[in-house]
Coordinates of all heavy atoms in Angstrom, one line a residue:
M3 N 6.5 9.3 -13.1 CA 6.1 8.0 -12.6 C 7.2 7.5 -11.6 O 7.7 6.4 -11.8 CB 5.8 7.0 -13.6 CG 4.7 7.4 -14.6 SD 3.1 7.5 -13.8 CE 2.4 5.9 -14.2
K4 N 7.6 8.4 -10.7 CA 8.6 7.9 -9.7 C 8.0 6.8 -8.8 O 7.0 6.9 -8.4 CB 8.9 9.1 -8.9 CG 10.4 9.3 -8.5 CD 10.6 10.6 -7.8 CE 11.9 11.2 -8.2 NZ 12.1 12.5 -7.4
R5 N 9.0 5.8 -8.5 CA 8.5 4.8 -7.6 C 8.8 5.3 -6.2 O 9.9 5.7 -5.8 CB 9.4 3.5 -7.9 CG 8.9 2.3 -7.0 CD 9.6 1.1 -7.3 NE 10.9 1.1 -6.7 CZ 11.9 0.2 -6.9 NH1 11.7 -0.7 -7.9 NH2 13.0 0.3 -6.3
V6 N 7.7 5.1 -5.3 CA 7.8 5.6 -4.0 C 7.8 4.4 -3.0 O 8.1 4.6 -1.8 CB 6.7 6.6 -3.6 CG1 7.0 7.9 -4.3 CG2 5.4 6.1 -3.8
Y7 N 7.4 3.2 -3.5 CA 7.3 2.1 -2.5 C 7.4 0.8 -3.2 O 6.8 0.6 -4.4 CB 6.0 2.2 -1.8 CG 5.8 1.2 -0.7 CD1 6.7 1.2 0.3 CD2 4.7 0.3 -0.7 CE1 6.5 0.2 1.4 CE2 4.5 -0.6 0.3 CZ 5.5 -0.6 1.3 OH 5.2 -1.6 2.3
L8 N 8.1 -0.1 -2.7 CA 8.2 -1.5 -3.2 C 7.6 -2.3 -2.2 O 8.1 -2.4 -1.1 CB 9.7 -1.8 -3.5 CG 10.0 -3.1 -4.3 CD1 9.4 -3.1 -5.7 CD2 11.5 -3.3 -4.3
A9 N 6.6 -3.1 -2.6 CA 5.8 -3.9 -1.5 C 6.2 -5.4 -1.7 O 6.4 -5.9 -2.8 CB 4.4 -3.7 -1.8
A10 N 6.1 -6.1 -0.6 CA 6.4 -7.5 -0.7 C 5.3 -8.3 -1.3 O 5.5 -9.4 -1.7 CB 6.8 -8.0 0.7
D11 N 4.1 -7.8 -1.1 CA 2.9 -8.5 -1.7 C 1.9 -7.5 -2.1 O 2.0 -6.3 -1.8 CB 2.3 -9.5 -0.7 CG 1.9 -8.9 0.5 OD1 1.0 -8.0 0.5 OD2 2.3 -9.4 1.6
L12 N 0.9 -8.0 -2.8 CA -0.1 -7.1 -3.4 C -1.0 -6.4 -2.4 O -1.3 -5.2 -2.5 CB -0.9 -7.9 -4.4 CG -1.7 -7.2 -5.4 CD1 -0.8 -6.2 -6.2 CD2 -2.4 -8.2 -6.4
A13 N -1.3 -7.1 -1.4 CA -2.2 -6.5 -0.3 C -1.4 -5.3 0.3 O -2.1 -4.2 0.6 CB -2.5 -7.5 0.8
D14 N -0.2 -5.5 0.5 CA 0.6 -4.4 1.1 C 0.7 -3.2 0.1 O 0.5 -2.1 0.5 CB 2.0 -4.9 1.4 CG 3.0 -3.9 2.1 OD1 2.4 -3.1 2.8 OD2 4.1 -4.0 1.9
A15 N 0.9 -3.5 -1.1 CA 0.9 -2.4 -2.1 C -0.3 -1.7 -2.3 O -0.3 -0.5 -2.4 CB 1.3 -3.0 -3.5
Q16 N -1.5 -2.3 -2.1 CA -2.7 -1.6 -2.4 C -3.2 -0.7 -1.3 O -4.0 0.1 -1.5 CB -3.8 -2.7 -2.7 CG -3.6 -3.2 -4.1 CD -4.5 -4.3 -4.5 OE1 -5.0 -5.1 -3.7 NE2 -4.7 -4.4 -5.8
I17 N -2.5 -0.8 -0.1 CA -2.8 0.1 1.0 C -2.3 1.5 0.7 O -2.9 2.5 0.9 CB -2.1 -0.4 2.3 CG1 -2.7 -1.7 2.7 CG2 -2.2 0.7 3.4 CD1 -2.0 -2.4 3.9
A18 N -1.2 1.5 -0.1 CA -0.5 2.9 -0.3 C -1.3 3.8 -1.1 O -1.5 5.0 -0.7 CB 0.9 2.6 -0.9
P19 N -1.8 3.4 -2.3 CA -2.6 4.4 -3.0 C -3.9 4.9 -2.3 O -4.3 6.0 -2.4 CB -3.1 3.7 -4.3 CG -2.1 2.6 -4.4 CD -1.7 2.2 -3.0
D20 N -4.5 4.0 -1.4 CA -5.7 4.4 -0.6 C -5.2 5.5 0.4 O -5.9 6.5 0.6 CB -6.2 3.2 0.2 CG -7.0 2.2 -0.7 OD1 -7.2 2.6 -1.9 OD2 -7.3 1.1 -0.2
W21 N -4.2 5.2 1.1 CA -3.6 6.1 2.2 C -3.3 7.4 1.6 O -3.6 8.5 2.1 CB -2.4 5.4 2.8 CG -1.7 6.1 3.8 CD1 -0.5 6.9 3.6 CD2 -1.9 6.2 5.2 NE1 -0.1 7.3 4.8 CE2 -0.9 7.0 5.8 CE3 -2.9 5.6 6.0 CZ2 -0.9 7.2 7.2 CZ3 -2.8 5.9 7.4 CH2 -1.9 6.7 7.9
L22 N -2.6 7.4 0.4 CA -2.2 8.6 -0.2 C -3.3 9.4 -0.8 O -3.5 10.6 -0.8 CB -1.1 8.4 -1.3 CG 0.2 7.8 -0.8 CD1 1.1 7.4 -1.9 CD2 0.9 8.8 0.1
G23 N -4.3 8.6 -1.4 CA -5.5 9.2 -2.0 C -6.3 10.0 -1.0 O -6.8 11.1 -1.3
M24 N -6.4 9.5 0.2 CA -7.1 10.2 1.3 C -6.5 11.5 1.6 O -7.1 12.4 2.2 CB -7.1 9.4 2.6 CG -8.1 8.2 2.5 SD -7.9 7.0 3.9 CE -8.1 8.1 5.3
R25 N -5.2 11.7 1.2 CA -4.4 12.9 1.5 C -4.3 13.7 0.2 O -3.4 14.6 0.2 CB -3.1 12.6 2.2 CG -3.3 12.1 3.6 CD -2.3 11.2 4.1 NE -2.7 10.8 5.5 CZ -3.5 9.9 5.7 NH1 -4.1 9.1 4.8 NH2 -3.8 9.5 7.1
G26 N -5.0 13.4 -0.9 CA -5.0 14.2 -2.0 C -3.8 13.8 -2.9 O -3.6 14.7 -3.9
I27 N -3.2 12.8 -2.7 CA -2.0 12.4 -3.6 C -2.4 11.2 -4.4 O -2.8 10.1 -3.9 CB -0.7 12.1 -2.8 CG1 -0.4 13.4 -1.9 CG2 0.4 11.6 -3.6 CD1 0.8 13.2 -1.0
K28 N -2.1 11.3 -5.7 CA -2.5 10.1 -6.6 C -1.3 9.3 -6.9 O -0.3 9.8 -7.3 CB -3.0 10.7 -7.9 CG -4.4 11.3 -7.8 CD -5.0 11.6 -9.2 CE -6.4 12.2 -8.9 NZ -6.8 13.0 -10.2
A29 N -1.5 8.0 -6.6 CA -0.4 7.0 -6.9 C -1.1 5.8 -7.4 O -2.3 5.5 -7.2 CB 0.4 6.7 -5.6
R30 N -0.4 4.9 -8.1 CA -0.9 3.7 -8.6 C 0.0 2.5 -8.4 O 1.3 2.7 -8.3 CB -1.0 3.8 -10.2 CG -2.2 4.7 -10.5 CD -2.4 4.6 -12.0 NE -1.9 6.0 -12.6 CZ -2.0 6.2 -13.8 NH1 -2.4 5.3 -14.8 NH2 -1.6 7.4 -14.2
V31 N -0.6 1.4 -8.3 CA 0.2 0.1 -8.1 C 0.5 -0.5 -9.5 O -0.3 -0.6 -10.4 CB -0.6 -0.9 -7.3 CG1 0.2 -2.2 -7.1 CG2 -1.0 -0.4 -5.9
F32 N 1.8 -0.8 -9.7 CA 2.3 -1.4 -10.9 C 2.8 -2.8 -10.5 O 2.9 -3.1 -9.4 CB 3.4 -0.6 -11.5 CG 2.9 0.7 -12.2 CD1 2.6 1.8 -11.5 CD2 2.7 0.7 -13.5 CE1 2.1 2.9 -12.0 CE2 2.2 1.8 -14.2 CZ 2.0 2.9 -13.4
N33 N 3.0 -3.6 -11.5 CA 3.5 -5.0 -11.4 C 2.5 -5.9 -10.6 O 2.8 -6.8 -10.0 CB 4.8 -5.1 -10.5 CG 6.0 -4.9 -11.4 OD1 5.9 -4.8 -12.6 ND2 7.2 -5.0 -10.8
T34 N 1.1 -5.6 -10.8 CA 0.2 -6.4 -10.1 C 0.1 -7.8 -10.6 O -0.4 -8.8 -9.9 CB -1.2 -5.8 -10.1 OG1 -1.6 -5.5 -11.5 CG2 -1.3 -4.5 -9.4
H35 N 0.5 -8.1 -11.8 CA 0.4 -9.4 -12.4 C 1.7 -10.0 -12.8 O 1.9 -11.0 -13.5 CB -0.4 -9.4 -13.7 CG -1.8 -8.8 -13.5 ND1 -2.8 -9.4 -12.8 CD2 -2.3 -7.6 -13.9 CE1 -3.8 -8.7 -12.7 NE2 -3.6 -7.6 -13.3
A36 N 2.8 -9.5 -12.1 CA 4.2 -10.0 -12.5 C 4.6 -11.2 -11.7 O 5.6 -11.7 -12.0 CB 5.2 -8.8 -12.3
T37 N 3.8 -11.6 -10.8 CA 4.3 -12.8 -9.9 C 4.4 -14.0 -10.8 O 5.2 -14.9 -10.4 CB 3.3 -13.1 -8.7 OG1 2.0 -13.1 -9.2 CG2 3.5 -12.0 -7.7
G38 N 3.8 -14.1 -12.0 CA 4.0 -15.3 -12.8 C 5.4 -15.4 -13.3 O 5.8 -16.4 -13.7
G39 N 6.2 -14.3 -13.2 CA 7.6 -14.3 -13.6 C 8.5 -14.8 -12.6 O 9.8 -14.9 -12.7
L40 N 8.0 -15.2 -11.4 CA 8.8 -15.7 -10.3 C 9.6 -17.0 -10.8 O 9.1 -17.9 -11.3 CB 8.0 -16.1 -9.1 CG 8.7 -16.4 -7.8 CD1 9.5 -15.3 -7.3 CD2 7.7 -16.8 -6.7
G41 N 10.9 -16.9 -10.5 CA 11.8 -18.0 -10.9 C 12.6 -17.6 -12.2 O 13.6 -18.1 -12.4
E42 N 12.0 -16.7 -12.9 CA 12.7 -16.2 -14.2 C 13.3 -14.9 -13.9 O 14.3 -14.5 -14.5 CB 11.8 -16.2 -15.4 CG 11.3 -17.6 -15.8 CD 10.2 -17.5 -16.8 OE1 10.1 -16.6 -17.6 OE2 9.4 -18.4 -16.8
L43 N 12.6 -14.1 -13.1 CA 13.1 -12.7 -12.7 C 13.5 -12.6 -11.3 O 13.1 -13.5 -10.5 CB 11.9 -11.8 -13.0 CG 11.3 -11.6 -14.4 CD1 10.0 -11.0 -14.4 CD2 12.3 -11.0 -15.4
A44 N 14.3 -11.7 -11.0 CA 14.7 -11.4 -9.6 C 13.4 -11.1 -8.8 O 12.5 -10.4 -9.3 CB 15.7 -10.3 -9.5
A45 N 13.4 -11.5 -7.5 CA 12.2 -11.3 -6.8 C 11.8 -9.9 -6.7 O 10.6 -9.5 -6.8 CB 12.4 -11.9 -5.4
T46 N 12.9 -9.0 -6.6 CA 12.5 -7.6 -6.4 C 11.9 -7.0 -7.8 O 11.3 -5.9 -7.7 CB 13.7 -6.7 -6.1 OG1 14.8 -7.0 -7.0 CG2 14.1 -7.0 -4.7
Q47 N 12.1 -7.7 -8.9 CA 11.5 -7.2 -10.1 C 10.1 -7.6 -10.3 O 9.4 -7.0 -11.1 CB 12.3 -7.8 -11.3 CG 13.7 -7.3 -11.5 CD 14.4 -7.9 -12.7 OE1 14.5 -9.1 -12.8 NE2 14.9 -7.0 -13.6
I48 N 9.6 -8.5 -9.5 CA 8.2 -8.8 -9.6 C 7.3 -8.3 -8.5 O 6.2 -8.5 -8.4 CB 8.0 -10.4 -9.7 CG1 8.5 -11.1 -8.5 CG2 8.6 -10.8 -11.0 CD1 7.9 -12.4 -8.2
W49 N 8.0 -7.7 -7.4 CA 7.2 -7.1 -6.3 C 6.4 -6.0 -6.9 O 6.8 -5.2 -7.7 CB 8.1 -6.6 -5.2 CG 8.8 -7.7 -4.5 CD1 8.5 -9.0 -4.5 CD2 9.8 -7.6 -3.5 NE1 9.2 -9.7 -3.6 CE2 10.1 -8.8 -3.0 CE3 10.5 -6.5 -2.9 CZ2 11.0 -9.1 -1.9 CZ3 11.4 -6.7 -1.9 CH2 11.7 -8.0 -1.4
P50 N 5.2 -5.8 -6.3 CA 4.3 -4.8 -6.7 C 5.0 -3.4 -6.3 O 5.6 -3.3 -5.3 CB 3.0 -4.9 -5.9 CG 3.0 -6.3 -5.5 CD 4.5 -6.7 -5.3
E51 N 4.9 -2.4 -7.2 CA 5.5 -1.1 -7.0 C 4.4 -0.1 -6.9 O 3.4 -0.2 -7.6 CB 6.4 -0.8 -8.1 CG 7.4 -1.7 -8.5 CD 8.2 -1.2 -9.7 OE1 7.6 -0.5 -10.6 OE2 9.4 -1.5 -9.8
V52 N 4.6 1.0 -6.1 CA 3.7 2.1 -6.1 C 4.4 3.2 -6.7 O 5.5 3.6 -6.3 CB 3.3 2.4 -4.6 CG1 2.3 3.6 -4.6 CG2 2.6 1.2 -4.0
R53 N 3.8 3.8 -7.7 CA 4.4 4.9 -8.5 C 3.5 6.1 -8.5 O 2.3 6.0 -8.5 CB 4.8 4.5 -9.9 CG 5.8 3.5 -10.0 CD 6.2 3.1 -11.4 NE 7.3 2.2 -11.5 CZ 8.6 2.6 -11.7 NH1 8.9 3.8 -11.6 NH2 9.5 1.6 -11.7
M54 N 4.1 7.3 -8.5 CA 3.4 8.5 -8.5 C 2.8 8.9 -9.8 O 3.4 8.7 -10.8 CB 4.3 9.7 -8.1 CG 5.0 9.4 -6.8 SD 3.9 9.1 -5.4 CE 2.9 10.6 -5.5
D55 N 1.6 9.5 -9.8 CA 1.0 10.1 -11.0 C 1.8 11.4 -11.3 O 2.1 11.7 -12.4 CB -0.5 10.5 -10.8 CG -1.3 9.3 -11.2 OD1 -0.9 8.2 -11.4 OD2 -2.5 9.6 -11.3
D56 N 2.1 12.1 -10.2 CA 2.9 13.4 -10.4 C 4.1 13.3 -9.5 O 4.0 13.2 -8.3 CB 2.0 14.5 -9.9 CG 2.6 15.9 -10.0 OD1 3.8 15.9 -10.4 OD2 1.9 16.9 -9.8
D57 N 5.3 13.3 -10.1 CA 6.5 13.1 -9.4 C 6.7 14.2 -8.4 O 7.5 14.0 -7.4 CB 7.7 13.1 -10.4 CG 7.8 11.7 -11.1 OD1 7.0 10.8 -10.7 OD2 8.6 11.6 -12.0
A58 N 6.1 15.4 -8.6 CA 6.3 16.5 -7.6 C 5.8 16.1 -6.2 O 6.2 16.6 -5.2 CB 5.5 17.7 -8.1
D59 N 4.9 15.1 -6.1 CA 4.3 14.6 -4.9 C 5.2 13.6 -4.2 O 4.9 13.1 -3.1 CB 2.9 14.1 -5.0 CG 1.9 15.2 -5.4 OD1 2.1 16.4 -5.0 OD2 0.9 14.8 -6.1
A60 N 6.2 13.1 -4.9 CA 6.9 11.9 -4.5 C 7.5 12.0 -3.0 O 7.4 11.1 -2.2 CB 8.0 11.5 -5.5
E61 N 8.1 13.2 -2.8 CA 8.8 13.3 -1.4 C 7.7 13.2 -0.3 O 7.9 12.6 0.7 CB 9.5 14.6 -1.4 CG 10.6 14.6 -0.4 CD 11.5 16.0 -0.5 OE1 12.0 16.1 -1.6 OE2 11.6 16.6 0.5
Q62 N 6.6 13.9 -0.5 CA 5.6 13.9 0.5 C 5.0 12.5 0.7 O 4.6 12.1 1.7 CB 4.4 14.9 0.1 CG 3.5 15.1 1.2 CD 2.3 16.0 0.8 OE1 2.3 16.5 -0.3 NE2 1.4 16.2 1.7
A63 N 4.9 11.8 -0.5 CA 4.4 10.4 -0.5 C 5.3 9.5 0.3 O 4.7 8.7 1.1 CB 4.1 9.9 -1.9
V64 N 6.5 9.7 0.2 CA 7.4 8.8 0.9 C 7.3 9.0 2.4 O 7.2 8.1 3.2 CB 8.9 9.0 0.5 CG1 9.9 8.4 1.4 CG2 9.1 8.5 -1.0
Q65 N 7.1 10.3 2.8 CA 6.9 10.6 4.2 C 5.6 10.0 4.8 O 5.6 9.4 5.8 CB 6.8 12.1 4.4 CG 8.2 12.8 4.3 CD 9.2 12.2 5.4 OE1 8.8 12.0 6.6 NE2 10.4 12.0 4.9
L66 N 4.6 10.1 4.0 CA 3.3 9.6 4.4 C 3.3 8.1 4.5 O 2.7 7.5 5.4 CB 2.2 10.0 3.4 CG 1.8 11.4 3.5 CD1 0.9 11.9 2.3 CD2 1.0 11.7 4.8
L67 N 4.0 7.5 3.6 CA 4.2 5.9 3.6 C 5.0 5.5 4.8 O 4.7 4.4 5.4 CB 4.7 5.5 2.3 CG 3.8 5.6 1.1 CD1 4.5 5.4 -0.2 CD2 2.6 4.8 1.3
K68 N 5.9 6.3 5.3 CA 6.6 6.0 6.5 C 5.6 6.0 7.7 O 5.8 5.2 8.6 CB 7.7 7.0 6.8 CG 9.0 6.7 5.9 CD 10.1 7.7 6.3 CE 11.3 7.6 5.3 NZ 12.1 8.7 5.3
E69 N 4.7 6.9 7.6 CA 3.7 6.9 8.7 C 2.8 5.7 8.8 O 2.6 5.1 9.8 CB 2.7 8.1 8.5 CG 3.2 9.4 8.9 CD 2.2 10.5 8.6 OE1 1.0 10.3 8.6 OE2 2.6 11.6 8.4
I70 N 2.6 5.1 7.6 CA 1.8 3.9 7.6 C 2.6 2.8 8.4 O 2.1 2.1 9.2 CB 1.6 3.3 6.2 CG1 0.7 4.1 5.3 CG2 1.0 1.9 6.2 CD1 0.4 3.5 3.9
H71 N 3.9 2.7 8.0 CA 4.6 1.6 8.6 C 4.9 1.8 10.1 O 5.1 0.9 10.8 CB 5.9 1.3 7.7 CG 5.4 0.8 6.4 ND1 5.3 1.5 5.3 CD2 5.0 -0.5 6.1 CE1 4.8 0.8 4.3 NE2 4.6 -0.4 4.7
S72 N 5.0 3.2 10.5 CA 5.1 3.3 11.9 C 3.8 3.1 12.7 O 3.8 2.7 13.9 CB 5.6 4.8 12.2 OG 4.8 5.7 11.8
A73 N 2.7 3.2 11.9 CA 1.4 2.8 12.5 C 1.2 1.4 12.8 O 0.4 0.9 13.6 CB 0.3 3.3 11.6
D74 N 2.1 0.5 12.1 CA 2.1 -0.9 12.4 C 2.2 -1.2 13.8 O 1.7 -2.1 14.4 CB 3.2 -1.6 11.6 CG 2.9 -1.9 10.1 OD1 1.6 -1.7 9.8 OD2 3.8 -2.2 9.4
A75 N 3.1 -0.4 14.5 CA 3.4 -0.6 15.9 C 2.2 -0.3 16.8 O 2.3 -0.6 17.9 CB 4.6 0.2 16.3
A76 N 1.2 0.5 16.2 CA 0.1 0.9 17.0 C -0.9 -0.2 17.3 O -1.8 0.0 18.0 CB -0.6 2.1 16.3
G77 N -0.6 -1.4 16.8 CA -1.4 -2.6 17.1 C -2.5 -2.8 16.1 O -2.4 -2.4 14.9
S78 N -3.5 -3.4 16.5 CA -4.5 -3.9 15.5 C -5.9 -3.2 15.8 O -6.2 -2.7 16.8 CB -4.7 -5.4 15.6 OG -5.1 -5.8 16.8
K79 N -6.8 -3.4 14.8 CA -8.1 -2.8 14.9 C -9.1 -4.0 14.6 O -8.9 -4.8 13.7 CB -8.4 -1.8 13.8 CG -7.6 -0.6 13.8 CD -8.0 0.3 12.6 CE -7.0 1.4 12.3 NZ -7.2 2.0 11.1
L80 N -10.2 -3.9 15.4 CA -11.3 -4.9 15.1 C -12.3 -4.3 14.2 O -12.7 -3.2 14.4 CB -11.9 -5.4 16.4 CG -11.1 -6.2 17.4 CD1 -11.8 -6.6 18.6 CD2 -10.5 -7.4 16.7
C81 N -12.7 -5.1 13.2 CA -13.7 -4.6 12.3 C -15.0 -4.5 13.0 O -15.5 -5.5 13.6 CB -13.9 -5.7 11.1 SG -15.2 -5.2 10.0
P82 N -15.7 -3.3 12.9 CA -17.0 -3.2 13.5 C -18.1 -4.0 12.9 O -19.2 -4.2 13.5 CB -17.3 -1.7 13.4 CG -16.5 -1.2 12.2 CD -15.2 -2.1 12.1
Q83 N -17.9 -4.5 11.6 CA -18.9 -5.2 11.0 C -18.8 -6.7 11.1 O -19.8 -7.3 11.5 CB -18.9 -4.9 9.5 CG -20.1 -5.6 8.7 CD -20.2 -4.9 7.3 OE1 -20.6 -3.8 7.2 NE2 -19.8 -5.7 6.3
C84 N -17.6 -7.3 10.9 CA -17.4 -8.7 11.0 C -16.6 -9.2 12.2 O -16.6 -10.4 12.5 CB -16.9 -9.3 9.7 SG -15.1 -8.9 9.4
G85 N -16.0 -8.3 12.9 CA -15.2 -8.6 14.0 C -13.8 -9.2 13.7 O -13.1 -9.5 14.7
E86 N -13.4 -9.2 12.5 CA -12.0 -9.7 12.2 C -11.0 -8.7 12.7 O -11.2 -7.5 12.7 CB -11.9 -9.9 10.7 CG -12.3 -11.2 10.1 CD -11.6 -12.4 10.7 OE1 -10.4 -12.3 11.0 OE2 -12.3 -13.5 10.8
E87 N -9.8 -9.2 13.0 CA -8.7 -8.3 13.4 C -8.0 -7.9 12.2 O -7.7 -8.7 11.3 CB -7.8 -9.2 14.4 CG -6.7 -8.3 15.0 CD -6.0 -9.1 16.0 OE1 -6.4 -10.1 16.6 OE2 -4.9 -8.7 16.4
N88 N -7.6 -6.6 12.2 CA -6.9 -6.0 11.1 C -5.7 -5.3 11.6 O -5.7 -4.7 12.7 CB -7.7 -4.9 10.3 CG -8.9 -5.6 9.6 OD1 -8.8 -6.0 8.4 ND2 -10.1 -5.7 10.2
P89 N -4.6 -5.3 10.9 CA -3.4 -4.5 11.3 C -3.8 -3.0 11.5 O -4.7 -2.5 10.8 CB -2.5 -4.7 10.1 CG -2.9 -5.9 9.5 CD -4.4 -6.0 9.6
G90 N -3.1 -2.4 12.4 CA -3.5 -1.0 12.8 C -3.4 0.0 11.6 O -4.1 1.1 11.6
N91 N -2.7 -0.3 10.6 CA -2.6 0.6 9.5 C -3.6 0.4 8.3 O -3.5 1.1 7.3 CB -1.1 0.5 8.9 CG -0.7 -0.8 8.4 OD1 -1.3 -1.8 8.8 ND2 0.2 -0.9 7.5
F92 N -4.4 -0.7 8.5 CA -5.4 -0.9 7.4 C -6.6 0.1 7.4 O -6.9 0.5 8.5 CB -6.0 -2.3 7.6 CG -5.2 -3.4 7.0 CD1 -3.8 -3.3 6.9 CD2 -5.9 -4.6 6.5 CE1 -3.1 -4.4 6.3 CE2 -5.1 -5.6 5.9 CZ -3.7 -5.5 5.8
L93 N -6.9 0.6 6.2 CA -8.0 1.5 6.2 C -9.3 0.9 6.0 O -10.4 1.5 6.3 CB -7.7 2.5 4.9 CG -6.4 3.2 5.0 CD1 -6.1 4.0 3.7 CD2 -6.3 4.1 6.2
S94 N -9.3 -0.3 5.5 CA -10.6 -1.1 5.4 C -10.3 -2.6 5.8 O -9.2 -3.0 5.7 CB -11.2 -1.0 4.0 OG -10.3 -1.5 3.1
C95 N -11.3 -3.2 6.2 CA -11.2 -4.6 6.7 C -10.8 -5.5 5.5 O -11.4 -5.5 4.5 CB -12.6 -5.1 7.2 SG -12.6 -6.8 7.8
W96 N -9.8 -6.4 5.9 CA -9.3 -7.3 4.8 C -10.3 -8.3 4.5 O -10.4 -8.9 3.4 CB -8.0 -8.0 5.3 CG -8.2 -8.9 6.4 CD1 -8.1 -8.7 7.7 CD2 -8.6 -10.3 6.3 NE1 -8.5 -9.7 8.5 CE2 -8.8 -10.8 7.7 CE3 -8.9 -11.1 5.2 CZ2 -9.2 -12.1 8.0 CZ3 -9.3 -12.4 5.6 CH2 -9.4 -12.9 6.9
H97 N -11.2 -8.6 5.4 CA -12.2 -9.7 5.3 C -13.5 -9.2 4.6 O -13.9 -9.9 3.6 CB -12.5 -10.2 6.6 CG -13.4 -11.4 6.6 ND1 -14.7 -11.4 7.1 CD2 -13.2 -12.7 6.1 CE1 -15.2 -12.6 6.9 NE2 -14.3 -13.4 6.4
C98 N -14.0 -8.1 5.0 CA -15.3 -7.8 4.4 C -15.4 -6.4 3.7 O -16.3 -6.0 3.1 CB -16.4 -7.7 5.6 SG -16.3 -6.4 6.7
G99 N -14.3 -5.6 3.9 CA -14.1 -4.4 3.2 C -14.7 -3.2 3.9 O -14.7 -2.0 3.4
Q100 N -15.3 -3.4 5.1 CA -15.8 -2.3 5.9 C -14.7 -1.3 6.2 O -13.6 -1.7 6.5 CB -16.4 -2.9 7.2 CG -16.8 -1.9 8.3 CD -18.1 -1.2 7.9 OE1 -18.9 -1.7 7.2 NE2 -18.1 0.1 8.3
A101 N -15.1 0.0 6.1 CA -14.1 1.0 6.4 C -13.7 1.0 7.9 O -14.6 0.7 8.7 CB -14.6 2.4 6.1
L102 N -12.5 1.2 8.2 CA -12.1 1.1 9.6 C -11.7 2.5 10.1 O -11.2 3.3 9.3 CB -10.8 0.2 9.8 CG -11.0 -1.3 9.4 CD1 -9.6 -2.0 9.3 CD2 -11.9 -1.9 10.3
S103 N -12.1 2.8 11.3 CA -11.8 4.2 11.8 C -10.4 4.3 12.4 O -9.9 3.3 12.8 CB -12.9 4.7 12.6 OG -13.1 3.7 13.7
Ligands
ZN20 ZN1 -14.8 -6.9 8.4

């Protein structure tokens, strides 16, 4: 259960397992309910984490996750269903859930 990504928020964390899953790598988000500890725990202890199901995939996962973040620079996508603007690295619309191409 190696940690491959520490996300600043839950929405950011949930992109990673989708992105990796499309490439055949299983990962899960942990700490999804830890924000209640804010103020008692260090901020980095409550951030959502993405951990590997199989640690053998960790190195490849880290590489793929770097691609997500370099895709940020690629701009935004408009949702074909509702027209909302989504960051270029989103796989589905934040507003209506429509898959983005
Ligand atoms: Zn939409």
